[in-house]
Amino acid sequence: MSQGIRTFGSKDRKTFIRGLSIYNKRAKKVTRFKPRPYQEKIVDLVDQGHRRILVVKARQLGLSTIIRAIFYQNLYAATEPIRHAVVSHEVGSANEIFEMDMRFHENLPPPFRHNLDKAATRVTRISASGAQSQTFTANNSKALRSYAMESAHLSEGAFYPDLMDTLSIVDASVGSDGLIILESTANGYMDAFHKLVLGALAGENEWEPVFIGWWENELYTMKPPPGFKATKAELLYADLVEEKTGHRLTREQICWRRQKIRSLNNDIRRVKREFPSFVEECFQSTENAHYDPLALEEITPTRLARTKPGPCYEAIAEEPEDDGMYVVAVDSAQGVGRDYSVITVINCRTRQPVYYWWSNRWSPKRFSEQILRVCYEYGEYKLPILGIESNNHGHEVLGYVRDAKYPERFLWKYKKKDFITTKETRPLIYGALREMIDEGLILELEEAYLDEIKAIVSGPGERPDHPKGGRDDKVISLGLGYLMLKELRIPMGSREVARKRFEDKLMKARARRNSSALPWIAR
């Protein structure tokens, strides 16, 4: 190793990075790298010793560049044959990342440039130390699994076919002392990346989260034209950004954002996802969301006091009414820790869910006993109509209910048969729920249910489905309930009555909260 290489490699990280060259898209030529303050946030986290760094970002901020520069220094200064992995979501971006590393190398002055070994495609190997970096695509988990590594850069992880599988492979190889940086723009609500971010923000996992918003790039501004005036909505949005981040959008930034919205065909959901101002904003919707995110925003999420914690959750929105009429919709599972068994009770007159129950640990026999208990609790005036999806374990549950002599006339049937979810009936469940959402008839919903609904995506042929690693058990139960009401043609009270009832309940809740010295939800 030459003295020049030894001297350059020993420089502090920020000085080393400023000695690298990048392709400047704005100038359309190779220039010296001048990291911006928001890029150096990641350098600081590495220097502080964080070994798992999770970067949530807006698009086109050069964050992949700064991360590559961090790992390139590790490779450059290595005296041992360390191995580094880069994982990208597609071949095109994998090639771009590899070319970025090569550009760092080729644009160093000759005295500071390592000799490289000839190696396989997308592999950079330094002759003197044997240290190497190899770039993979996320769909090639077999190759990644066989590659031992001491550090890794996961680029656009939200778009991997299976982020958690890739992460488990990398984490096992790198070990607790190795450095992993995962960076991505958002892709969907409650997908694997979103859940990872939520866990990091709550301090529930080992990842150190950092969010970089579009407004941190000083280039994302536009000189306002003569007569420019921010709209009321834009000013309210600026207030929200300031509340969330402490940064007040300037007139130039508001003008830039307005133009960005127009250039993306006024697709405000896409703008929020790709150019978010604060971390919660980028996860508000999914690109191919099955249910209208704007309509879902009209539903008030509630986190009810959940009783029976542990193997099951029970949340009561409304106690049984003396003259109430209800439907009970059931989605059944085996109860071995995977899919959930779910019970949803809906008030026929108001169309509002009044009771929620779910568990993935109760056997079909025990679950059937809970169903009967709920039916009789909400059936003092008149037994509720009970609908049980009879696929697989649902058939067993339905058998136990019949053995317990629940009246056959109160068991809902579809076209005179027990209901089975098929490729023909599945769209009916999702469609019944969509009608209620689009018409604004669901006023409030348990938070866990709303999260599941927001995550549902449209797959091939517009087929609704949950994202990989997600669930739709609560959606099926709720949708089944609304399909039952639609098929039974039970008349609904006016929306105004339902709205008034909801407002009355909200006022009482606020009164209880204001009169109590305890937190609203004691934990």
Side-chain angles (χ1 to χ4, degrees), residues 92-334:
S93 60
N95 290 334
E96 289 178 7
I97 289 174
F98 174 71
E99 289 169 4
M100 192 184 304
D101 285 1
M102 293 304 298
R103 192 175 295 116
F104 290 154
H105 168 75
E106 291 168 356
N107 286 280
L108 286 173
F112 297 157
R113 194 183 306 154
H114 275 293
N115 291 325
L116 300 182
D117 289 340
K118 290 184 178 180
T121 304
R122 296 198 296 266
V123 174
T124 304
R125 183 182 298 124
I126 295 176
S127 300
S129 64
Q132 74 171 43
S133 171
Q134 184 165 346
T135 305
F136 301 84
T137 55
N139 60 1
N140 192 0
S141 60
K142 183 178 180 180
L144 188 64
R145 196 179 298 274
S146 62
Y147 183 80
M149 67 197 86
E150 282 77 29
S151 62
H153 170 198
L154 309 184
S155 180
E156 294 295 355
F159 298 87
Y160 291 3
D162 191 334
L163 172 60
M164 298 315 294
D165 181 61
T166 301
L167 200 53
S168 66
I169 294 170
V170 171
D171 188 76
S173 183
V174 169
S176 59
D177 293 333
L179 173 62
I180 303 175
I181 302 180
L182 166 57
E183 47 89 1
S184 186
T185 49
N187 185 35
Y189 183 83
M190 293 306 289
D191 62 3
F193 182 64
H194 188 192
K195 291 177 182 177
L196 198 66
V197 172
L198 291 175
L201 292 171
E204 296 172 352
N205 59 38
E206 60 183 344
W207 292 87
E208 179 67 23
V210 56
F211 171 77
I212 311 293
W214 66 269
W215 50 266
E216 297 188 59
N217 189 335
E218 74 280 4
L219 299 178
Y220 286 172
T221 60
M222 177 178 287
K223 184 179 180 180
F228 173 85
K229 186 177 181 181
T231 65
K232 183 177 180 180
E234 288 171 333
L235 292 174
L236 289 173
Y237 180 76
D239 290 341
L240 178 61
V241 174
E242 186 173 20
E243 176 187 336
K244 295 285 188 179
T245 69
H247 172 77
R248 182 72 184 183
L249 295 180
T250 64
R251 293 177 75 249
E252 291 77 12
Q253 289 173 326
I254 292 173
C255 184
W256 180 90
R257 186 172 184 272
R258 181 189 294 183
Q259 182 59 37
K260 177 58 67 176
I261 292 171
R262 288 174 178 171
S263 68
L264 294 178
N265 199 30
N266 294 309
D267 188 346
I268 188 65
R269 284 180 289 165
R270 183 178 177 187
V271 172
K272 287 182 177 181
R273 189 171 57 251
E274 296 187 354
F275 297 94
S277 297
F278 46 92
V279 68
E280 299 89 347
E281 184 177 45
C282 58
F283 294 108
Q284 287 182 359
S285 68
T286 302
E287 184 174 5
N288 54 343
H290 185 71
Y291 294 105
D292 182 1
L294 297 178
L296 291 174
E297 287 180 7
E298 297 299 315
I299 300 175
T300 301
T302 60
R303 185 174 177 83
L304 300 169
R306 299 176 185 174
T307 59
K308 300 180 181 177
C312 74
Y313 293 90
E314 182 180 61
I316 302 171
E318 184 179 290
E319 297 290 345
E321 297 177 340
D322 293 339
D323 60 346
M325 293 177 60
Y326 303 96
V327 295
V328 178
V330 175
D331 183 32
S332 304
Q334 189 175 2

Side-chain angles (χ1 to χ4, degrees), residues 372-426:
L372 292 167
R373 187 178 300 113
V374 171
C375 285
Y376 288 118
E377 284 179 0
Y378 280 85
E380 187 174 343
Y381 169 70
K382 181 180 180 180
L383 283 178
I385 304 297
L386 172 60
I388 299 177
E389 184 198 28
S390 58
N391 298 55
N392 302 320
H393 306 290
H395 181 75
E396 183 180 357
V397 170
L398 187 56
Y400 286 129
V401 169
R402 284 195 166 110
D403 290 345
K405 308 301 182 184
Y406 195 79
E408 194 71 27
R409 68 181 183 276
F410 291 109
L411 290 176
W412 180 67
K413 296 178 176 60
Y414 180 72
K415 295 184 177 181
K416 299 182 180 181
K417 295 180 180 179
D418 293 336
F419 183 82
I420 298 176
T421 301
T422 65
K423 64 179 181 180
E424 287 79 24
T425 60
R426 181 184 176 88

